[in-house]
Amino acid sequence: MHIAIAGNIGSGKTTLTRLLAKRYGWTPRFEPVDNNPYLADFYKDMHRWAFNLQIFFLNKRFKEVVEISKAQETIIQDRTIFEDAQIFAPNLHGQGYMSDRDFENYSDLFNLMMSLVGYPDLMIYIRSSIPNLIAQIEKRGRDYEQSIRIDYLTGLNKRYEEWIKNYKGRLIIVDGDTCKFGDNPKDLKIVTDMIDAELFGLFPFSENK
């Protein structure tokens, strides 16, 4: 199976990927952040590096999708190719960081790739407010993320909500503001109960029944 976790910057995707991989014995695929040659430059000059960064992510994500489709084990993926093309790139274009020419080129490439890409078996979307995202970004302390603009995060959040509203595959939505799965085992169980119900038809036992 292919399980994917979606959510804005700082929503907790990597944490949830790690926890679920351990809980279910799934193989994790993490977002290429630490070895990304464009990310630090992008946050310093978004106009200059937006197209380069998005092409890098699109390339990496498409390779992952092809590899996942051939895998025998269950893969859990931190962020998807859909988010790059339907949220991040349009947001950069809409805010003037990516030119019409570059965005059209990028979109043509993505549409070609989509002819070979299917939906994950389950999408887990972590919904989070801007204040919570900012707190999480500050908490993890990546230097290059400290310059992220609030209007950039806000634009991403709006596009995430539009995308998830029209998402056609199997979907679970986690409230990242109230469900602190990284700190509270009871909150993590809320997530795993939803996954068990969706994938395996299992429901949590209740002493009241």
Side-chain angles (χ1 to χ4, degrees):
M1 286 191 297
H2 176 196
I3 314 299
I5 299 182
N8 206 341
I9 302 165
S11 60
K13 297 182 305 301
T14 300
T15 297
L16 189 57
T17 298
R18 175 175 50 79
L19 291 170
L20 294 181
K22 181 179 181 181
R23 164 67 173 77
Y24 291 99
W26 294 337
T27 301
R29 290 291 186 98
F30 295 103
E31 187 176 19
V33 172
D34 293 335
N35 60 344
N36 188 317
Y38 295 106
L39 205 53
D41 289 332
F42 167 73
Y43 285 124
K44 292 177 183 176
D45 188 348
M46 296 172 74
H47 285 95
R48 167 63 182 84
W49 296 104
F51 180 71
N52 304 70
L53 178 70
Q54 290 307 124
I55 289 294
F56 173 85
F57 275 126
L58 189 64
N59 176 42
K60 293 292 184 182
R61 217 82 69 184
F62 183 66
K63 287 181 179 178
E64 279 192 344
V65 170
V66 172
E67 291 171 2
I68 289 170
S69 69
K70 298 177 181 178
Q72 299 299 313
E73 72 271 30
T74 294
I75 304 291
I76 182 163
Q77 184 185 24
D78 174 0
R79 186 164 280 148
T80 69
I81 194 170
F82 301 99
E83 294 164 82
D84 289 314
Q86 297 177 348
I87 296 168
F88 281 82
N91 189 58
L92 289 168
H93 176 244
Q95 294 189 345
Y97 294 116
M98 188 184 294
S99 69
D100 292 344
R101 179 180 60 182
D102 285 346
F103 183 66
E104 289 173 7
N105 188 8
Y106 176 93
S107 298
D108 285 346
L109 181 58
F110 170 72
N111 290 334
L112 175 62
M113 291 177 172
M114 282 307 298
S115 65
L116 305 171
V117 172
Y119 285 104
D121 296 288
L122 178 65
M123 180 74 74
I124 303 170
Y125 170 53
I126 306 173
R127 174 178 282 145
S128 186
S129 66
I130 297 300
N132 188 55
L133 294 174
I134 293 173
Q136 291 289 96
I137 290 169
E138 290 177 347
K139 181 180 178 180
R140 67 186 181 191
R142 293 173 182 163
D143 289 341
Y144 55 80
E145 288 184 341
Q146 303 311 306
S147 61
I148 295 177
R149 295 169 56 98
I150 292 178
D151 62 338
Y152 177 66
L153 286 176
T154 301
L156 291 174
N157 246 16
K158 289 179 180 178
R159 291 184 184 275
Y160 263 108
E161 289 301 315
E162 292 171 3
W163 172 65
I164 216 68
K165 181 174 62 178
N166 298 303
Y167 184 74
K168 303 301 183 184
R170 298 172 75 179
L171 174 68
I172 287 173
I173 298 178
V174 175
D175 186 339
D177 286 8
T178 60
C179 186
K180 302 300 181 181
F181 45 79
D183 302 316
N184 190 335
K186 290 183 179 179
D187 285 352
L188 178 61
K189 188 176 185 302
I190 292 173
V191 179
T192 58
D193 282 348
M194 289 192 292
I195 293 171
D196 290 343
E198 185 67 34
L199 290 182
F200 312 118
L202 302 175
F203 294 90
F205 175 76
S206 173
E207 293 181 354
N208 297 324
K209 292 185 178 180

